[in-house]
Amino acid sequence: MKQSKSRSSWLKVGIAVLLFSILALTVYNLYPESRLSKNAIINRLVVYKSKRILLAYAHGELLKSYRISLGGQPVGAKEIEGDLKTPEGLYYINDKNQYSGYHKNLGVSYPNEKDITHAKTLGKTAGGDIKIHGLRNGMGFIGKLQRCVDWTFGCMALTNTEIDELYRAVPIGTPIEINP
């Protein structure tokens, strides 16, 4: 009888912890964050991969920082197509796509000549199609929980609300510096 009560107590504690965890994750995901001003124009982006952060600047002033998810192999610079790494270096925003399979996206000018040359020395192609994007269409409910894991193929992922802000505020040609 004593063992049955002990097992029952552990089960109740386990259920309470599970319910509390679900509640905490729900509150985290739904808690509103600061918004970028509607009239903001971003003229420089800086990424620190090790910190999983994207910084948005206007004329040297930090306007907002974003928590991001990266490629599935985030350590080190992208070298070849399919390595699941996010590039490192100086690039620029070269495209905007509002009809993306991942909500909206901003195209990053990877690969540059240096990236292409390096990949050729490895006998491979550098790959491409690196973006700053939102969540896969139909998966927007995941929201901020997407930050818990590096899940992209080498892109930088934000929530749909966040990519909406950047899509509006970042013109094509904006430089992006991606650091380790």
Side-chain angles (χ1 to χ4, degrees):
M1 188 74 163
K2 189 175 182 183
Q3 189 177 16
S4 178
K5 281 187 176 181
S6 176
R7 189 176 295 156
S8 174
S9 294
W10 280 109
L11 181 61
K12 288 178 184 175
V13 168
I15 290 172
V17 167
L18 176 66
L19 292 175
F20 179 77
S21 298
I22 290 170
L23 177 63
L25 287 171
T26 301
V27 168
Y28 168 74
N29 200 31
L30 297 177
Y31 190 80
E33 294 183 338
S34 66
R35 304 263 184 194
L36 192 62
S37 168
K38 295 254 187 227
N39 61 351
I41 302 294
I42 303 301
N43 67 357
R44 181 172 175 240
L45 298 170
V46 179
V47 172
Y48 292 97
K49 290 172 40 177
S50 62
K51 296 177 184 179
R52 308 299 190 276
I53 195 163
L54 182 151
L55 304 173
Y57 290 90
H59 307 291
E61 179 186 349
L62 176 63
L63 296 186
K64 187 166 179 187
S65 64
Y66 297 89
R67 298 237 0 250
I68 58 174
S69 293
L70 299 171
Q73 299 292 324
V75 177
K78 183 165 195 63
E79 294 186 284
I80 59 171
E81 184 173 17
D83 65 7
L84 300 180
K85 293 179 184 265
T86 302
E88 294 172 3
L90 299 174
Y91 302 96
Y92 62 92
I93 300 302
N94 65 354
D95 187 37
K96 293 174 107 171
N97 183 354
Q98 64 181 332
Y99 303 109
S100 168
Y102 291 85
H103 192 59
K104 292 177 182 163
N105 73 48
L106 300 172
V108 176
S109 64
Y110 175 88
N112 59 29
E113 288 300 319
K114 179 181 168 189
D115 299 318
I116 293 167
T117 301
H118 178 69
K120 283 182 182 178
T121 66
L122 300 173
K124 306 281 185 175
T125 61
D129 214 23
I130 300 297
K131 311 288 184 185
I132 301 170
H133 62 69
L135 296 165
R136 183 178 283 283
N137 291 337
M139 301 298 285
F141 64 90
I142 294 171
K144 293 184 277 185
L145 297 177
Q146 66 90 23
R147 300 172 178 163
C148 296
V149 66
D150 290 317
W151 58 272
T152 75
F153 293 112
C155 297
M156 293 151 276
L158 301 163
T159 68
N160 290 351
T161 302
E162 293 167 334
I163 193 62
D164 284 342
E165 286 182 349
L166 287 180
Y167 189 89
R168 181 184 70 249
V170 175
I172 290 176
T174 300
I176 179 169
E177 175 185 333
I178 306 173
N179 298 290

